[in-house]
PDB file of all heavy atoms in Angstrom:
ATOM      1  N   ASP A   1     200.885  74.814  56.580  1.00  0.00           N
ATOM      2  CA  ASP A   1     199.835  74.405  57.505  1.00  0.00           C
ATOM      3  C   ASP A   1     198.550  74.015  56.789  1.00  0.00           C
ATOM      4  O   ASP A   1     197.503  73.882  57.413  1.00  0.00           O
ATOM      5  CB  ASP A   1     199.536  75.530  58.506  1.00  0.00           C
ATOM      6  CG  ASP A   1     199.023  76.799  57.823  1.00  0.00           C
ATOM      7  OD1 ASP A   1     198.855  76.793  56.581  1.00  0.00           O
ATOM      8  OD2 ASP A   1     198.789  77.801  58.523  1.00  0.00           O
ATOM      9  N   ALA A   2     198.617  73.808  55.467  1.00  0.00           N
ATOM     10  CA  ALA A   2     197.420  73.529  54.687  1.00  0.00           C
ATOM     11  C   ALA A   2     197.524  72.207  53.946  1.00  0.00           C
ATOM     12  O   ALA A   2     198.581  71.858  53.401  1.00  0.00           O
ATOM     13  CB  ALA A   2     197.154  74.652  53.687  1.00  0.00           C
ATOM     14  N   LEU A   3     196.428  71.482  53.934  1.00  0.00           N
ATOM     15  CA  LEU A   3     196.297  70.321  53.066  1.00  0.00           C
ATOM     16  C   LEU A   3     195.849  70.860  51.713  1.00  0.00           C
ATOM     17  O   LEU A   3     194.710  71.276  51.537  1.00  0.00           O
ATOM     18  CB  LEU A   3     195.259  69.363  53.643  1.00  0.00           C
ATOM     19  CG  LEU A   3     195.230  67.936  53.115  1.00  0.00           C
ATOM     20  CD1 LEU A   3     196.530  67.222  53.435  1.00  0.00           C
ATOM     21  CD2 LEU A   3     194.050  67.177  53.691  1.00  0.00           C
ATOM     22  N   SER A   4     196.780  70.898  50.762  1.00  0.00           N
ATOM     23  CA  SER A   4     196.514  71.586  49.487  1.00  0.00           C
ATOM     24  C   SER A   4     195.902  70.670  48.439  1.00  0.00           C
ATOM     25  O   SER A   4     195.215  71.141  47.534  1.00  0.00           O
ATOM     26  CB  SER A   4     197.812  72.204  48.941  1.00  0.00           C
ATOM     27  OG  SER A   4     198.797  71.200  48.739  1.00  0.00           O
ATOM     28  N   GLN A   5     196.154  69.371  48.523  1.00  0.00           N
ATOM     29  CA  GLN A   5     195.599  68.421  47.564  1.00  0.00           C
ATOM     30  C   GLN A   5     195.285  67.114  48.277  1.00  0.00           C
ATOM     31  O   GLN A   5     195.960  66.734  49.226  1.00  0.00           O
ATOM     32  CB  GLN A   5     196.583  68.152  46.420  1.00  0.00           C
ATOM     33  CG  GLN A   5     196.930  69.357  45.572  1.00  0.00           C
ATOM     34  CD  GLN A   5     197.991  69.028  44.533  1.00  0.00           C
ATOM     35  OE1 GLN A   5     198.102  67.900  44.077  1.00  0.00           O
ATOM     36  NE2 GLN A   5     198.790  70.018  44.169  1.00  0.00           N
ATOM     37  N   ALA A   6     194.256  66.448  47.791  1.00  0.00           N
ATOM     38  CA  ALA A   6     193.917  65.114  48.279  1.00  0.00           C
ATOM     39  C   ALA A   6     193.330  64.338  47.110  1.00  0.00           C
ATOM     40  O   ALA A   6     192.425  64.824  46.421  1.00  0.00           O
ATOM     41  CB  ALA A   6     192.905  65.190  49.419  1.00  0.00           C
ATOM     42  N   ASP A   7     193.878  63.177  46.870  1.00  0.00           N
ATOM     43  CA  ASP A   7     193.384  62.308  45.791  1.00  0.00           C
ATOM     44  C   ASP A   7     193.266  60.903  46.370  1.00  0.00           C
ATOM     45  O   ASP A   7     194.281  60.263  46.667  1.00  0.00           O
ATOM     46  CB  ASP A   7     194.336  62.341  44.605  1.00  0.00           C
ATOM     47  CG  ASP A   7     193.723  61.695  43.370  1.00  0.00           C
ATOM     48  OD1 ASP A   7     193.629  60.458  43.347  1.00  0.00           O
ATOM     49  OD2 ASP A   7     193.334  62.422  42.447  1.00  0.00           O
ATOM     50  N   VAL A   8     192.039  60.432  46.538  1.00  0.00           N
ATOM     51  CA  VAL A   8     191.806  59.209  47.300  1.00  0.00           C
ATOM     52  C   VAL A   8     190.868  58.277  46.545  1.00  0.00           C
ATOM     53  O   VAL A   8     189.827  58.709  46.028  1.00  0.00           O
ATOM     54  CB  VAL A   8     191.199  59.528  48.689  1.00  0.00           C
ATOM     55  CG1 VAL A   8     190.953  58.246  49.479  1.00  0.00           C
ATOM     56  CG2 VAL A   8     192.111  60.465  49.468  1.00  0.00           C
ATOM     57  N   ASN A   9     191.244  57.004  46.467  1.00  0.00           N
ATOM     58  CA  ASN A   9     190.368  55.939  45.994  1.00  0.00           C
ATOM     59  C   ASN A   9     190.017  55.071  47.191  1.00  0.00           C
ATOM     60  O   ASN A   9     190.906  54.554  47.874  1.00  0.00           O
ATOM     61  CB  ASN A   9     191.061  55.090  44.924  1.00  0.00           C
ATOM     62  CG  ASN A   9     191.293  55.868  43.650  1.00  0.00           C
ATOM     63  OD1 ASN A   9     190.368  56.196  42.918  1.00  0.00           O
ATOM     64  ND2 ASN A   9     192.552  56.186  43.380  1.00  0.00           N
ATOM     65  N   LEU A  10     188.721  54.912  47.434  1.00  0.00           N
ATOM     66  CA  LEU A  10     188.260  54.257  48.651  1.00  0.00           C
ATOM     67  C   LEU A  10     187.265  53.154  48.321  1.00  0.00           C
ATOM     68  O   LEU A  10     186.306  53.366  47.567  1.00  0.00           O
ATOM     69  CB  LEU A  10     187.598  55.299  49.571  1.00  0.00           C
ATOM     70  CG  LEU A  10     187.036  54.810  50.902  1.00  0.00           C
ATOM     71  CD1 LEU A  10     188.154  54.313  51.801  1.00  0.00           C
ATOM     72  CD2 LEU A  10     186.275  55.945  51.582  1.00  0.00           C
ATOM     73  N   LYS A  11     187.517  51.976  48.870  1.00  0.00           N
ATOM     74  CA  LYS A  11     186.565  50.864  48.753  1.00  0.00           C
ATOM     75  C   LYS A  11     185.811  50.760  50.077  1.00  0.00           C
ATOM     76  O   LYS A  11     186.401  50.454  51.112  1.00  0.00           O
ATOM     77  CB  LYS A  11     187.289  49.547  48.465  1.00  0.00           C
ATOM     78  CG  LYS A  11     186.340  48.356  48.292  1.00  0.00           C
ATOM     79  CD  LYS A  11     187.107  47.029  48.272  1.00  0.00           C
ATOM     80  CE  LYS A  11     187.986  46.935  47.048  1.00  0.00           C
ATOM     81  NZ  LYS A  11     188.642  45.582  46.987  1.00  0.00           N
ATOM     82  N   MET A  12     184.510  51.033  50.032  1.00  0.00           N
ATOM     83  CA  MET A  12     183.724  51.016  51.253  1.00  0.00           C
ATOM     84  C   MET A  12     183.556  49.586  51.750  1.00  0.00           C
ATOM     85  O   MET A  12     183.129  48.703  51.002  1.00  0.00           O
ATOM     86  CB  MET A  12     182.356  51.660  51.022  1.00  0.00           C
ATOM     87  CG  MET A  12     182.434  53.134  50.636  1.00  0.00           C
ATOM     88  SD  MET A  12     183.444  54.108  51.797  1.00  0.00           S
ATOM     89  CE  MET A  12     182.573  53.859  53.341  1.00  0.00           C
ATOM     90  N   PRO A  13     183.903  49.310  53.002  1.00  0.00           N
ATOM     91  CA  PRO A  13     183.862  47.940  53.518  1.00  0.00           C
ATOM     92  C   PRO A  13     182.466  47.326  53.511  1.00  0.00           C
ATOM     93  O   PRO A  13     182.319  46.124  53.377  1.00  0.00           O
ATOM     94  CB  PRO A  13     184.390  48.093  54.956  1.00  0.00           C
ATOM     95  CG  PRO A  13     185.138  49.382  54.963  1.00  0.00           C
ATOM     96  CD  PRO A  13     184.442  50.258  53.980  1.00  0.00           C
ATOM     97  N   ARG A  14     181.445  48.165  53.622  1.00  0.00           N
ATOM     98  CA  ARG A  14     180.095  47.619  53.796  1.00  0.00           C
ATOM     99  C   ARG A  14     179.558  46.983  52.517  1.00  0.00           C
ATOM    100  O   ARG A  14     178.912  45.940  52.549  1.00  0.00           O
ATOM    101  CB  ARG A  14     179.162  48.727  54.289  1.00  0.00           C
ATOM    102  CG  ARG A  14     177.802  48.218  54.735  1.00  0.00           C
ATOM    103  CD  ARG A  14     177.018  49.318  55.411  1.00  0.00           C
ATOM    104  NE  ARG A  14     175.764  48.811  55.955  1.00  0.00           N
ATOM    105  CZ  ARG A  14     174.910  49.555  56.633  1.00  0.00           C
ATOM    106  NH1 ARG A  14     175.194  50.831  56.859  1.00  0.00           N
ATOM    107  NH2 ARG A  14     173.786  49.045  57.095  1.00  0.00           N
ATOM    108  N   ASN A  15     179.818  47.622  51.370  1.00  0.00           N
ATOM    109  CA  ASN A  15     179.244  47.120  50.120  1.00  0.00           C
ATOM    110  C   ASN A  15     180.270  47.012  48.993  1.00  0.00           C
ATOM    111  O   ASN A  15     179.909  46.776  47.842  1.00  0.00           O
ATOM    112  CB  ASN A  15     178.089  48.022  49.675  1.00  0.00           C
ATOM    113  CG  ASN A  15     178.502  49.484  49.567  1.00  0.00           C
ATOM    114  OD1 ASN A  15     179.702  49.799  49.573  1.00  0.00           O
ATOM    115  ND2 ASN A  15     177.526  50.378  49.486  1.00  0.00           N
ATOM    116  N   ASN A  16     181.549  47.207  49.315  1.00  0.00           N
ATOM    117  CA  ASN A  16     182.635  47.156  48.328  1.00  0.00           C
ATOM    118  C   ASN A  16     182.483  48.190  47.217  1.00  0.00           C
ATOM    119  O   ASN A  16     183.073  48.046  46.149  1.00  0.00           O
ATOM    120  CB  ASN A  16     182.753  45.760  47.712  1.00  0.00           C
ATOM    121  CG  ASN A  16     183.392  44.776  48.676  1.00  0.00           C
ATOM    122  OD1 ASN A  16     184.215  45.142  49.506  1.00  0.00           O
ATOM    123  ND2 ASN A  16     182.998  43.517  48.567  1.00  0.00           N
ATOM    124  N   GLN A  17     181.700  49.252  47.461  1.00  0.00           N
ATOM    125  CA  GLN A  17     181.561  50.326  46.480  1.00  0.00           C
ATOM    126  C   GLN A  17     182.888  51.073  46.346  1.00  0.00           C
ATOM    127  O   GLN A  17     183.555  51.369  47.339  1.00  0.00           O
ATOM    128  CB  GLN A  17     180.465  51.298  46.911  1.00  0.00           C
ATOM    129  CG  GLN A  17     180.260  52.468  45.950  1.00  0.00           C
ATOM    130  CD  GLN A  17     179.258  53.482  46.487  1.00  0.00           C
ATOM    131  OE1 GLN A  17     178.802  53.364  47.625  1.00  0.00           O
ATOM    132  NE2 GLN A  17     178.921  54.463  45.674  1.00  0.00           N
ATOM    133  N   LEU A  18     183.292  51.340  45.104  1.00  0.00           N
ATOM    134  CA  LEU A  18     184.535  52.065  44.854  1.00  0.00           C
ATOM    135  C   LEU A  18     184.237  53.549  44.698  1.00  0.00           C
ATOM    136  O   LEU A  18     183.393  53.952  43.899  1.00  0.00           O
ATOM    137  CB  LEU A  18     185.221  51.533  43.594  1.00  0.00           C
ATOM    138  CG  LEU A  18     185.732  50.091  43.671  1.00  0.00           C
ATOM    139  CD1 LEU A  18     186.290  49.665  42.315  1.00  0.00           C
ATOM    140  CD2 LEU A  18     186.813  49.955  44.743  1.00  0.00           C
ATOM    141  N   LEU A  19     184.949  54.368  45.467  1.00  0.00           N
ATOM    142  CA  LEU A  19     184.769  55.816  45.405  1.00  0.00           C
ATOM    143  C   LEU A  19     186.100  56.478  45.085  1.00  0.00           C
ATOM    144  O   LEU A  19     187.149  56.053  45.568  1.00  0.00           O
ATOM    145  CB  LEU A  19     184.255  56.361  46.744  1.00  0.00           C
ATOM    146  CG  LEU A  19     182.907  55.866  47.252  1.00  0.00           C
ATOM    147  CD1 LEU A  19     182.636  56.464  48.632  1.00  0.00           C
ATOM    148  CD2 LEU A  19     181.789  56.242  46.293  1.00  0.00           C
ATOM    149  N   HIS A  20     186.049  57.519  44.277  1.00  0.00           N
ATOM    150  CA  HIS A  20     187.225  58.347  44.024  1.00  0.00           C
ATOM    151  C   HIS A  20     186.847  59.783  44.339  1.00  0.00           C
ATOM    152  O   HIS A  20     185.830  60.301  43.852  1.00  0.00           O
ATOM    153  CB  HIS A  20     187.702  58.255  42.572  1.00  0.00           C
ATOM    154  CG  HIS A  20     188.795  59.242  42.254  1.00  0.00           C
ATOM    155  ND1 HIS A  20     188.550  60.456  41.642  1.00  0.00           N
ATOM    156  CD2 HIS A  20     190.129  59.206  42.519  1.00  0.00           C
ATOM    157  CE1 HIS A  20     189.690  61.112  41.517  1.00  0.00           C
ATOM    158  NE2 HIS A  20     190.656  60.381  42.032  1.00  0.00           N
ATOM    159  N   PHE A  21     187.631  60.427  45.170  1.00  0.00           N
ATOM    160  CA  PHE A  21     187.354  61.833  45.457  1.00  0.00           C
ATOM    161  C   PHE A  21     188.663  62.583  45.622  1.00  0.00           C
ATOM    162  O   PHE A  21     189.677  62.028  46.040  1.00  0.00           O
ATOM    163  CB  PHE A  21     186.457  62.002  46.693  1.00  0.00           C
ATOM    164  CG  PHE A  21     186.900  61.271  47.919  1.00  0.00           C
ATOM    165  CD1 PHE A  21     187.714  61.879  48.860  1.00  0.00           C
ATOM    166  CD2 PHE A  21     186.472  59.976  48.154  1.00  0.00           C
ATOM    167  CE1 PHE A  21     188.106  61.214  50.000  1.00  0.00           C
ATOM    168  CE2 PHE A  21     186.862  59.294  49.305  1.00  0.00           C
ATOM    169  CZ  PHE A  21     187.678  59.914  50.225  1.00  0.00           C
ATOM    170  N   ALA A  22     188.636  63.856  45.249  1.00  0.00           N
ATOM    171  CA  ALA A  22     189.812  64.724  45.301  1.00  0.00           C
ATOM    172  C   ALA A  22     189.377  66.119  45.709  1.00  0.00           C
ATOM    173  O   ALA A  22     188.199  66.490  45.581  1.00  0.00           O
ATOM    174  CB  ALA A  22     190.514  64.762  43.938  1.00  0.00           C
ATOM    175  N   PHE A  23     190.326  66.904  46.208  1.00  0.00           N
ATOM    176  CA  PHE A  23     190.025  68.293  46.539  1.00  0.00           C
ATOM    177  C   PHE A  23     189.666  69.072  45.282  1.00  0.00           C
ATOM    178  O   PHE A  23     190.257  68.856  44.215  1.00  0.00           O
ATOM    179  CB  PHE A  23     191.237  68.962  47.189  1.00  0.00           C
ATOM    180  CG  PHE A  23     191.279  68.827  48.685  1.00  0.00           C
ATOM    181  CD1 PHE A  23     190.363  68.057  49.373  1.00  0.00           C
ATOM    182  CD2 PHE A  23     192.242  69.495  49.422  1.00  0.00           C
ATOM    183  CE1 PHE A  23     190.405  67.933  50.744  1.00  0.00           C
ATOM    184  CE2 PHE A  23     192.308  69.387  50.794  1.00  0.00           C
ATOM    185  CZ  PHE A  23     191.387  68.601  51.457  1.00  0.00           C
ATOM    186  N   ARG A  24     188.719  69.973  45.434  1.00  0.00           N
ATOM    187  CA  ARG A  24     188.479  70.936  44.364  1.00  0.00           C
ATOM    188  C   ARG A  24     189.720  71.797  44.182  1.00  0.00           C
ATOM    189  O   ARG A  24     190.444  72.078  45.136  1.00  0.00           O
ATOM    190  CB  ARG A  24     187.279  71.816  44.729  1.00  0.00           C
ATOM    191  CG  ARG A  24     185.949  71.071  44.718  1.00  0.00           C
ATOM    192  CD  ARG A  24     184.855  71.846  45.421  1.00  0.00           C
ATOM    193  NE  ARG A  24     184.820  73.252  45.031  1.00  0.00           N
ATOM    194  CZ  ARG A  24     183.992  74.148  45.570  1.00  0.00           C
ATOM    195  NH1 ARG A  24     183.168  73.789  46.543  1.00  0.00           N
ATOM    196  NH2 ARG A  24     184.002  75.400  45.167  1.00  0.00           N
ATOM    197  N   GLU A  25     189.984  72.215  42.954  1.00  0.00           N
ATOM    198  CA  GLU A  25     191.220  72.944  42.655  1.00  0.00           C
ATOM    199  C   GLU A  25     191.311  74.272  43.403  1.00  0.00           C
ATOM    200  O   GLU A  25     192.407  74.777  43.644  1.00  0.00           O
ATOM    201  CB  GLU A  25     191.326  73.187  41.145  1.00  0.00           C
ATOM    202  CG  GLU A  25     191.540  71.909  40.333  1.00  0.00           C
ATOM    203  CD  GLU A  25     191.727  72.196  38.864  1.00  0.00           C
ATOM    204  OE1 GLU A  25     191.665  73.395  38.491  1.00  0.00           O
ATOM    205  OE2 GLU A  25     191.936  71.251  38.093  1.00  0.00           O
ATOM    206  N   ASP A  26     190.163  74.837  43.761  1.00  0.00           N
ATOM    207  CA  ASP A  26     190.171  76.146  44.421  1.00  0.00           C
ATOM    208  C   ASP A  26     190.141  76.036  45.947  1.00  0.00           C
ATOM    209  O   ASP A  26     189.950  77.034  46.636  1.00  0.00           O
ATOM    210  CB  ASP A  26     188.969  76.974  43.957  1.00  0.00           C
ATOM    211  CG  ASP A  26     187.628  76.303  44.299  1.00  0.00           C
ATOM    212  OD1 ASP A  26     187.605  75.052  44.398  1.00  0.00           O
ATOM    213  OD2 ASP A  26     186.628  77.016  44.454  1.00  0.00           O
ATOM    214  N   LYS A  27     190.366  74.837  46.483  1.00  0.00           N
ATOM    215  CA  LYS A  27     190.214  74.640  47.917  1.00  0.00           C
ATOM    216  C   LYS A  27     191.508  74.162  48.576  1.00  0.00           C
ATOM    217  O   LYS A  27     192.295  73.429  47.987  1.00  0.00           O
ATOM    218  CB  LYS A  27     189.114  73.601  48.203  1.00  0.00           C
ATOM    219  CG  LYS A  27     187.706  74.044  47.797  1.00  0.00           C
ATOM    220  CD  LYS A  27     187.218  75.181  48.672  1.00  0.00           C
ATOM    221  CE  LYS A  27     185.781  75.556  48.356  1.00  0.00           C
ATOM    222  NZ  LYS A  27     185.300  76.677  49.199  1.00  0.00           N
TER     223      LYS A  27
END
């Protein structure tokens, strides 16, 4: 019942800024 990991690369539509974010290892 838990989302244990998330690794996402996101291009923001407004300014095409590239973002990478992931879950902290302890979360």
